[in-house]
Amino acid sequence: MFCKKLASSRLNMRGTGRVYPIGFLITQIRVRIFAESFSTEKCSNGSNGKQSFRVSYLMSVFGLATKEAQSLSRRVHFESAERPDSVIALLRTHGFTDTHIFKLVKSCPDLLSSNPSKILLPKFNFFYSLGVTDTELASFLSSNANLLRMSLDKRILPFHRFLRDVIGLDNHRIAESIKRASWADNKDGIRRLASNIELLRELDVPKSFLVQLATHSIGVLLQKPTQFKEKVDEVIEMGLDHKKVTFCSALTIVSELRKRTRELKVGTYLKYGWTENDFRMAFKKHPFCLRLSEKNICGKMEFLINKMGAKPADIACVPSVLLYSLEKRVIPRCSIIKTLMLKGILEKEVPLSSVLCSLDKTFINRFISKYEKALPGLLDIFHGKMDVPEMLNIFDHHEEILSEGKNGFFNPGLAVVVSS
């Protein structure tokens, strides 16, 4: 009888006529029984009893350890199970799984104290209007819980109108932009956006670039106008053309990384033989080479220079090779070319970019298919079926070439030899 009563009350609350999973009802029954046995009337008067109830509720429903439940309980305010139960029920109605709900509660436990019909449901409906589907909503919001804290009328809707009317974003891009801006807890966001967008327009930055920044790097445009102008000036001083898409990439990188961090990474490239001009050239071609960690930079430069014999300046000419995975792409592909060298098969020069930047199909047709009968292991190397240490053994057998002072795998023109 209690189970039927609970189910009926939940159905009326949702108003959907949807049948609840038995697991959810069992959980709610357990919570209700607990609530009765832990009535605040039986607890000591004052905040200690109320907090004890919240702690026990969090432990009972979400399986939290005592210490974690105590910590989260300080950020929620409910004296009975009714409000948090109604929040959980609404979330389940809109496709939130236990994992989604748990993730939300851990990042924003105060949501359990909110009014679901006034605080949560209007935001759900807003995101539905942008084209976010039922299946996407739970993942979308559980990974960006701050969105549910933001005021719909004071922050989200004004932000939406600016992105739509001033920058020209469609609903899909607006949803992405709002998601990426969920961290920005400033009340003058629209003013900052307007000022920074105006600066870029004065520089004749193409509208398509503004759309790209607003969609994928909205945080760049939410900087204080004075800081934003400093970053723009720095990127221009480095020689980036504001008419090219790399300008936006460079502005994003410079905005994301602290100056000291950027200096350390530039220093790492210089340590491997780049000059300041080499770095500027590489950064202008592919700004994301500065986003790599120092460890990542060292690993790839070490391999290309010491194992492959490439010259530092030649790598700077094609910085895109540094963005590929060392273990999954660079070492396997270079191992194949090295194997062909050891067998004396290579006869014609080909640039490093053709080895590392070409499509898989192109690489296979050019360096594997025509030799697989004589060297059947090439395809295994390409698909990563050979461990990295095994592949590196290939280079150990070829170290004599470098130690004798001859050209390594790449000649000064960043070329290797391959038969036509």
Side-chain angles (χ1 to χ4, degrees):
M1 183 65 182
F2 179 73
C3 182
K4 290 182 179 180
K5 182 178 179 181
L6 177 62
S8 175
S9 66
R10 289 294 181 271
L11 288 172
N12 290 335
M13 190 280 294
R14 293 186 186 180
T16 63
R18 183 174 175 177
V19 178
Y20 293 101
I22 188 64
F24 174 71
L25 294 177
I26 291 174
T27 298
Q28 299 307 303
I29 291 171
R30 178 162 56 89
V31 171
R32 289 300 187 190
I33 293 174
F34 161 77
E36 291 295 329
S37 64
F38 203 89
S39 170
T40 52
E41 294 178 1
K42 298 179 182 180
C43 298
S44 58
N45 293 328
S47 61
N48 288 338
K50 295 176 182 178
Q51 184 175 358
S52 297
F53 173 79
R54 295 194 291 268
V55 170
S56 298
Y57 181 92
L58 293 171
M59 292 173 62
S60 176
V61 175
F62 300 106
L64 298 178
T66 303
K67 188 174 182 179
E68 188 173 19
Q70 288 174 336
S71 176
L72 291 180
S73 71
R74 300 186 185 97
R75 297 166 59 188
V76 295
H77 305 283
F78 54 81
E79 300 177 17
S80 71
E82 182 176 0
R83 178 56 61 84
D85 280 359
S86 64
V87 170
I88 293 172
L90 180 69
L91 292 174
R92 289 188 180 280
T93 301
H94 290 270
F96 285 73
T97 64
D98 289 342
T99 301
H100 291 136
I101 295 172
F102 184 66
K103 191 174 181 180
L104 266 178
V105 169
K106 288 197 71 174
S107 58
C108 291
D110 50 303
L111 290 176
L112 291 174
S113 308
S114 63
N115 185 319
S117 61
K118 292 183 178 181
I119 302 298
L120 302 182
L121 188 57
K123 290 169 186 170
F124 291 177
N125 290 332
F126 168 75
F127 287 112
Y128 288 144
S129 74
L130 296 183
V132 177
T133 66
D134 292 346
T135 53
E136 294 171 336
L137 185 72
S139 177
F140 180 81
L141 290 177
S142 63
S143 298
N144 302 274
N146 279 339
L147 286 172
L148 294 175
R149 284 174 162 171
M150 294 168 66
S151 168
L152 182 62
D153 294 328
K154 295 180 180 180
R155 292 194 57 196
I156 296 178
L157 290 178
F159 196 67
H160 167 266
R161 285 191 291 270
F162 184 91
L163 295 175
R164 180 193 63 195
D165 300 338
V166 178
I167 303 180
L169 268 61
D170 57 27
N171 281 341
H172 174 74
R173 290 179 180 274
I174 289 173
E176 284 297 311
S177 183
I178 291 177
K179 178 175 68 175
R180 295 174 189 275
S182 62
W183 58 268
D185 188 19
N186 59 72
K187 297 180 180 180
D188 60 345
I190 301 299
R191 184 186 63 80
R192 291 186 181 187
L193 280 173
S195 177
N196 295 337
I197 287 292
E198 182 60 28
L199 174 62
L200 295 179
R201 283 178 171 167
E202 289 174 359
L203 294 172
D204 291 327
V205 174
K207 179 181 177 180
S208 60
F209 295 176
L210 301 182
V211 170
Q212 176 185 321
L213 277 173
T215 304
H216 302 293
S217 303
I218 190 66
V220 174
L221 297 174
L222 285 170
Q223 297 179 84
K224 292 181 179 179
T226 52
Q227 294 177 340
F228 182 75
K229 187 178 185 307
E230 290 175 1
K231 300 297 191 300
V232 170
D233 290 342
E234 184 174 352
V235 170
I236 292 175
E237 288 173 7
M238 294 179 74
L240 275 295
D241 185 350
H242 57 270
K243 294 287 187 179
K244 294 184 178 180
V245 69
T246 48
F247 178 84
C248 292
S249 300
L251 183 57
T252 300
I253 297 299
V254 169
S255 298
E256 288 179 349
L257 301 177
R258 294 181 179 180
K259 186 174 182 179
R260 177 56 180 164
T261 301
R262 285 184 272 130
E263 290 173 346
L264 289 173
K265 293 184 178 185
V266 172
T268 301
Y269 282 118
L270 299 183
K271 182 177 70 174
Y272 283 96
W274 279 13
T275 64
E276 290 282 354
N277 287 336
D278 287 336
F279 170 74
R280 283 178 174 268
M281 176 177 63
F283 186 72
K284 286 171 64 176
K285 289 186 174 183
H286 220 308
F288 286 103
C289 68
L290 197 57
R291 183 177 271 175
L292 298 173
S293 68
E294 292 176 65
K295 181 180 179 181
N296 199 320
I297 294 170
C298 290
K300 291 170 183 176
M301 294 292 280
E302 183 85 22
F303 178 82
L304 291 173
I305 294 172
N306 296 335
K307 292 291 185 181
M308 304 309 299
K311 290 188 175 181
D314 293 334
I315 299 174
C317 291
V318 280
S320 56
V321 301
L322 296 169
L323 304 182
Y324 295 114
S325 168
L326 183 64
E327 292 77 14
K328 295 180 180 179
R329 190 181 189 98
V330 177
I331 291 179
R333 289 194 178 201
C334 289
S335 297
I336 289 170
I337 302 301
K338 182 73 78 171
T339 299
L340 296 177
M341 282 188 65
L342 290 171
K343 295 296 182 180
I345 294 174
L346 301 176
E347 298 175 357
K348 188 177 178 181
E349 294 184 351
V350 62
L352 171 62
S353 58
S354 295
V355 175
L356 296 179
C357 302
S358 61
L359 297 174
D360 286 352
K361 182 178 180 180
T362 302
F363 184 88
I364 290 174
N365 289 339
R366 193 168 189 184
F367 298 107
I368 297 178
S369 296
K370 61 177 68 176
Y371 309 120
E372 61 182 344
K373 288 186 178 179
L375 300 169
L378 293 180
L379 205 55
D380 287 340
I381 295 175
F382 181 81
H383 288 301
K385 295 181 180 179
M386 180 182 290
D387 293 335
V388 170
E390 293 181 80
M391 287 188 276
L392 290 178
N393 284 335
I394 296 172
F395 297 93
D396 292 336
H397 290 310
H398 205 265
E399 285 297 321
E400 295 176 2
I401 294 178
L402 296 179
S403 63
E404 292 173 2
K406 301 177 182 179
N407 286 335
F409 173 58
F410 301 115
N411 70 12
L414 257 188
V416 294
V417 184
V418 63
S419 60
S420 57

Coordinates of all heavy atoms in Angstrom, one line a residue, residues 273-322:
G273 N 67.4 23.2 -30.3 CA 68.0 23.7 -31.5 C 67.2 24.7 -32.3 O 67.7 25.3 -33.3
W274 N 66.0 25.0 -31.9 CA 65.3 26.1 -32.6 C 65.8 27.4 -32.3 O 66.3 27.7 -31.1 CB 63.8 26.0 -32.2 CG 63.0 25.0 -33.0 CD1 63.5 24.0 -33.7 CD2 61.6 24.9 -33.0 NE1 62.4 23.2 -34.2 CE2 61.2 23.8 -33.8 CE3 60.5 25.7 -32.4 CZ2 59.9 23.4 -34.0 CZ3 59.2 25.3 -32.7 CH2 58.9 24.1 -33.5
T275 N 65.8 28.3 -33.2 CA 66.1 29.7 -32.9 C 64.8 30.5 -32.6 O 63.7 29.9 -32.8 CB 66.8 30.4 -34.1 OG1 65.8 30.4 -35.2 CG2 68.0 29.6 -34.6
E276 N 64.9 31.7 -32.2 CA 63.6 32.5 -32.0 C 62.8 32.6 -33.3 O 61.6 32.5 -33.3 CB 64.0 33.9 -31.5 CG 64.6 33.9 -30.1 CD 63.5 33.8 -29.0 OE1 62.3 33.8 -29.4 OE2 63.8 33.7 -27.8
N277 N 63.5 32.8 -34.4 CA 62.8 32.9 -35.7 C 62.2 31.5 -36.1 O 61.1 31.5 -36.7 CB 63.8 33.3 -36.8 CG 64.2 34.8 -36.7 OD1 63.5 35.6 -36.1 ND2 65.4 35.1 -37.2
D278 N 62.8 30.4 -35.7 CA 62.2 29.1 -36.0 C 60.9 29.0 -35.2 O 59.9 28.5 -35.8 CB 63.2 28.0 -35.5 CG 64.4 27.8 -36.5 OD1 64.3 28.2 -37.6 OD2 65.4 27.3 -36.0
F279 N 60.9 29.4 -34.0 CA 59.7 29.3 -33.2 C 58.6 30.2 -33.8 O 57.5 29.8 -33.9 CB 60.0 29.7 -31.7 CG 58.7 29.8 -31.0 CD1 58.0 28.7 -30.6 CD2 58.1 31.1 -30.7 CE1 56.7 28.8 -29.9 CE2 56.9 31.2 -30.0 CZ 56.2 30.0 -29.6
R280 N 58.9 31.4 -34.1 CA 58.0 32.3 -34.7 C 57.3 31.7 -36.0 O 56.1 31.8 -36.2 CB 58.6 33.7 -35.0 CG 58.8 34.5 -33.7 CD 59.4 35.9 -34.1 NE 59.5 36.7 -32.9 CZ 58.6 37.6 -32.6 NH1 57.5 37.8 -33.4 NH2 58.7 38.4 -31.5
M281 N 58.2 31.2 -36.8 CA 57.7 30.6 -38.0 C 56.8 29.4 -37.7 O 55.7 29.3 -38.3 CB 58.9 30.1 -38.9 CG 58.5 29.3 -40.1 SD 59.9 28.8 -41.2 CE 60.7 27.7 -40.0
A282 N 57.2 28.5 -36.8 CA 56.3 27.4 -36.4 C 55.0 27.8 -35.8 O 53.9 27.3 -36.1 CB 57.1 26.5 -35.5
F283 N 55.1 28.8 -34.9 CA 53.9 29.3 -34.3 C 52.9 29.9 -35.3 O 51.7 29.7 -35.2 CB 54.2 30.3 -33.2 CG 53.1 30.7 -32.3 CD1 52.5 29.9 -31.4 CD2 52.6 32.0 -32.4 CE1 51.4 30.3 -30.6 CE2 51.5 32.4 -31.7 CZ 50.9 31.5 -30.8
K284 N 53.4 30.7 -36.2 CA 52.6 31.3 -37.2 C 51.9 30.2 -38.1 O 50.7 30.4 -38.5 CB 53.4 32.2 -38.1 CG 53.8 33.5 -37.5 CD 54.8 34.3 -38.3 CE 54.2 34.7 -39.6 NZ 55.1 35.6 -40.4
K285 N 52.6 29.1 -38.4 CA 52.0 28.0 -39.2 C 51.0 27.2 -38.4 O 50.0 26.8 -38.9 CB 53.1 27.1 -39.7 CG 54.0 27.8 -40.8 CD 54.9 26.8 -41.4 CE 55.7 27.4 -42.6 NZ 56.6 26.4 -43.2
H286 N 51.4 26.9 -37.1 CA 50.5 26.0 -36.3 C 50.6 26.4 -34.8 O 51.4 25.8 -34.1 CB 50.9 24.6 -36.5 CG 49.7 23.7 -36.6 ND1 48.7 23.7 -35.6 CD2 49.3 22.7 -37.5 CE1 47.8 22.8 -35.9 NE2 48.1 22.2 -37.1
P287 N 49.8 27.4 -34.4 CA 49.9 27.9 -33.0 C 49.8 26.8 -32.0 O 50.3 27.0 -30.9 CB 48.8 28.9 -32.9 CG 48.5 29.3 -34.3 CD 48.8 28.1 -35.2
F288 N 49.1 25.7 -32.3 CA 48.8 24.7 -31.3 C 50.1 23.9 -30.9 O 50.1 23.1 -30.0 CB 47.7 23.7 -31.7 CG 46.4 24.3 -31.7 CD1 45.7 24.7 -32.8 CD2 45.7 24.5 -30.5 CE1 44.5 25.3 -32.8 CE2 44.4 25.1 -30.4 CZ 43.8 25.5 -31.6
C289 N 51.2 24.2 -31.6 CA 52.5 23.6 -31.1 C 52.9 24.1 -29.8 O 53.7 23.5 -29.1 CB 53.6 23.8 -32.2 SG 54.1 25.5 -32.3
L290 N 52.3 25.2 -29.4 CA 52.6 25.8 -28.1 C 51.7 25.2 -27.0 O 52.0 25.4 -25.8 CB 52.5 27.3 -28.1 CG 53.2 28.1 -27.0 CD1 54.6 27.8 -26.9 CD2 52.9 29.6 -27.1
R291 N 50.7 24.5 -27.4 CA 49.8 23.9 -26.4 C 50.3 22.6 -25.8 O 49.9 22.1 -24.8 CB 48.4 23.7 -27.0 CG 47.4 23.1 -26.0 CD 46.0 23.0 -26.7 NE 45.2 24.2 -26.5 CZ 44.0 24.4 -27.1 NH1 43.5 23.5 -27.9 NH2 43.4 25.5 -26.9
L292 N 51.3 22.0 -26.6 CA 51.9 20.7 -26.1 C 52.6 20.9 -24.8 O 53.2 21.9 -24.5 CB 52.9 20.2 -27.2 CG 52.3 19.9 -28.6 CD1 53.5 19.6 -29.5 CD2 51.3 18.8 -28.5
S293 N 52.6 19.9 -24.0 CA 53.3 19.9 -22.7 C 54.8 19.8 -23.0 O 55.2 19.4 -24.0 CB 52.9 18.7 -21.8 OG 53.3 17.5 -22.3
E294 N 55.6 20.3 -22.0 CA 57.0 20.2 -22.2 C 57.5 18.8 -22.3 O 58.4 18.5 -23.1 CB 57.7 20.8 -20.9 CG 57.5 22.4 -20.8 CD 58.1 22.9 -19.6 OE1 59.3 22.9 -19.4 OE2 57.3 23.4 -18.7
K295 N 56.9 17.8 -21.6 CA 57.2 16.4 -21.8 C 56.9 15.9 -23.2 O 57.7 15.2 -23.8 CB 56.4 15.6 -20.8 CG 56.7 14.1 -20.8 CD 56.0 13.4 -19.8 CE 56.2 11.9 -19.8 NZ 55.5 11.1 -18.8
N296 N 55.8 16.4 -23.7 CA 55.4 16.0 -25.1 C 56.4 16.5 -26.1 O 56.8 15.9 -27.0 CB 54.0 16.5 -25.3 CG 53.3 15.8 -26.5 OD1 53.9 15.5 -27.5 ND2 52.0 15.5 -26.3
I297 N 56.7 17.8 -25.9 CA 57.7 18.5 -26.8 C 59.0 17.7 -26.8 O 59.6 17.4 -27.9 CB 57.9 19.9 -26.4 CG1 56.6 20.7 -26.6 CG2 59.0 20.5 -27.3 CD1 56.6 22.1 -26.1
C298 N 59.5 17.4 -25.6 CA 60.8 16.7 -25.5 C 60.8 15.4 -26.2 O 61.7 15.0 -26.9 CB 61.2 16.6 -24.0 SG 61.6 18.1 -23.2
G299 N 59.7 14.6 -25.9 CA 59.7 13.3 -26.5 C 59.7 13.3 -28.0 O 60.4 12.5 -28.6
K300 N 59.0 14.2 -28.6 CA 58.9 14.2 -30.1 C 60.2 14.8 -30.7 O 60.7 14.3 -31.7 CB 57.7 15.0 -30.5 CG 56.4 14.2 -30.2 CD 55.1 15.0 -30.4 CE 53.9 14.2 -30.0 NZ 52.6 15.0 -30.1
M301 N 60.7 15.9 -30.1 CA 61.9 16.5 -30.7 C 63.1 15.5 -30.5 O 63.9 15.4 -31.4 CB 62.2 17.8 -30.0 CG 61.1 18.9 -30.2 SD 61.2 19.5 -31.9 CE 62.6 20.6 -31.9
E302 N 63.1 14.9 -29.4 CA 64.2 13.9 -29.1 C 64.2 12.8 -30.1 O 65.2 12.4 -30.7 CB 64.0 13.3 -27.7 CG 65.1 12.3 -27.3 CD 66.3 13.0 -26.7 OE1 66.1 14.2 -26.2 OE2 67.3 12.4 -26.7
F303 N 63.0 12.3 -30.4 CA 62.9 11.2 -31.4 C 63.2 11.6 -32.8 O 64.0 11.0 -33.5 CB 61.4 10.6 -31.4 CG 61.2 9.5 -32.3 CD1 61.6 8.2 -32.0 CD2 60.6 9.8 -33.6 CE1 61.4 7.2 -32.9 CE2 60.4 8.7 -34.5 CZ 60.8 7.4 -34.2
L304 N 62.6 12.7 -33.2 CA 62.8 13.2 -34.6 C 64.3 13.6 -34.9 O 64.8 13.3 -36.0 CB 61.9 14.3 -34.9 CG 60.4 13.9 -35.0 CD1 59.5 15.2 -35.2 CD2 60.1 13.0 -36.2
I305 N 64.9 14.2 -33.9 CA 66.3 14.7 -34.1 C 67.3 13.6 -33.9 O 68.2 13.3 -34.7 CB 66.6 15.9 -33.1 CG1 65.7 17.1 -33.5 CG2 68.1 16.2 -33.2 CD1 65.8 18.2 -32.5
N306 N 67.2 12.9 -32.7 CA 68.2 11.9 -32.4 C 68.0 10.5 -33.0 O 69.0 9.8 -33.3 CB 68.3 11.7 -30.9 CG 68.7 13.0 -30.2 OD1 69.4 13.8 -30.8 ND2 68.4 13.2 -28.9
K307 N 66.8 10.1 -33.3 CA 66.5 8.8 -33.9 C 66.4 8.9 -35.4 O 66.8 8.0 -36.1 CB 65.2 8.2 -33.3 CG 65.3 7.8 -31.8 CD 66.3 6.6 -31.7 CE 66.3 6.1 -30.2 NZ 67.2 5.0 -30.0
M308 N 65.8 10.0 -35.9 CA 65.5 10.1 -37.3 C 66.5 11.0 -38.0 O 66.5 11.1 -39.2 CB 64.1 10.6 -37.5 CG 63.0 9.8 -36.9 SD 63.1 8.1 -37.3 CE 62.9 8.1 -39.0
G309 N 67.3 11.7 -37.3 CA 68.3 12.6 -37.9 C 67.8 13.9 -38.5 O 68.4 14.5 -39.4
A310 N 66.6 14.2 -38.2 CA 66.0 15.5 -38.7 C 66.7 16.7 -38.1 O 67.1 16.7 -36.9 CB 64.5 15.5 -38.4
K311 N 66.7 17.8 -38.8 CA 67.3 19.0 -38.3 C 66.2 19.8 -37.6 O 65.1 19.9 -38.1 CB 68.0 19.8 -39.4 CG 69.2 19.2 -40.0 CD 69.9 20.1 -40.9 CE 71.3 19.5 -41.4 NZ 72.0 20.4 -42.3
P312 N 66.5 20.5 -36.5 CA 65.5 21.3 -35.8 C 64.8 22.3 -36.7 O 63.6 22.4 -36.6 CB 66.4 22.0 -34.7 CG 67.5 21.0 -34.5 CD 67.8 20.5 -35.8
A313 N 65.6 23.0 -37.5 CA 64.9 24.0 -38.4 C 64.0 23.4 -39.4 O 63.0 24.0 -39.7 CB 66.0 24.8 -39.1
D314 N 64.2 22.2 -39.8 CA 63.4 21.5 -40.8 C 62.0 21.1 -40.1 O 61.0 21.1 -40.7 CB 64.0 20.2 -41.3 CG 65.2 20.6 -42.2 OD1 65.3 21.7 -42.7 OD2 66.2 19.8 -42.3
I315 N 62.1 20.7 -38.8 CA 60.9 20.4 -38.1 C 60.0 21.7 -37.9 O 58.8 21.6 -38.0 CB 61.2 19.8 -36.7 CG1 62.0 18.5 -36.8 CG2 59.9 19.6 -35.9 CD1 62.5 18.0 -35.5
A316 N 60.7 22.8 -37.7 CA 60.0 24.1 -37.6 C 59.2 24.4 -38.9 O 58.2 25.2 -38.8 CB 60.9 25.2 -37.2
C317 N 59.7 23.9 -40.0 CA 59.0 24.2 -41.3 C 57.7 23.4 -41.4 O 56.7 23.8 -42.1 CB 59.9 23.8 -42.4 SG 61.3 24.8 -42.7
V318 N 57.5 22.3 -40.7 CA 56.3 21.5 -40.7 C 55.9 21.2 -39.2 O 55.9 20.0 -38.8 CB 56.4 20.2 -41.5 CG1 56.3 20.5 -43.0 CG2 57.8 19.5 -41.2
P319 N 55.5 22.2 -38.4 CA 55.3 21.9 -37.0 C 54.1 21.0 -36.8 O 53.9 20.5 -35.7 CB 55.0 23.4 -36.5 CG 54.5 24.1 -37.7 CD 55.3 23.6 -38.8
S320 N 53.2 20.8 -37.8 CA 52.1 19.9 -37.6 C 52.5 18.5 -37.2 O 51.7 17.8 -36.6 CB 51.2 19.9 -38.9 OG 52.0 19.5 -40.0
V321 N 53.7 18.1 -37.6 CA 54.2 16.8 -37.3 C 54.3 16.6 -35.8 O 54.2 15.4 -35.3 CB 55.5 16.4 -37.9 CG1 55.4 16.5 -39.4 CG2 56.7 17.3 -37.4
L322 N 54.4 17.7 -35.0 CA 54.5 17.6 -33.6 C 53.2 17.3 -32.9 O 53.2 17.0 -31.7 CB 55.1 18.9 -33.0 CG 56.6 19.2 -33.5 CD1 57.0 20.6 -33.1 CD2 57.6 18.2 -32.9

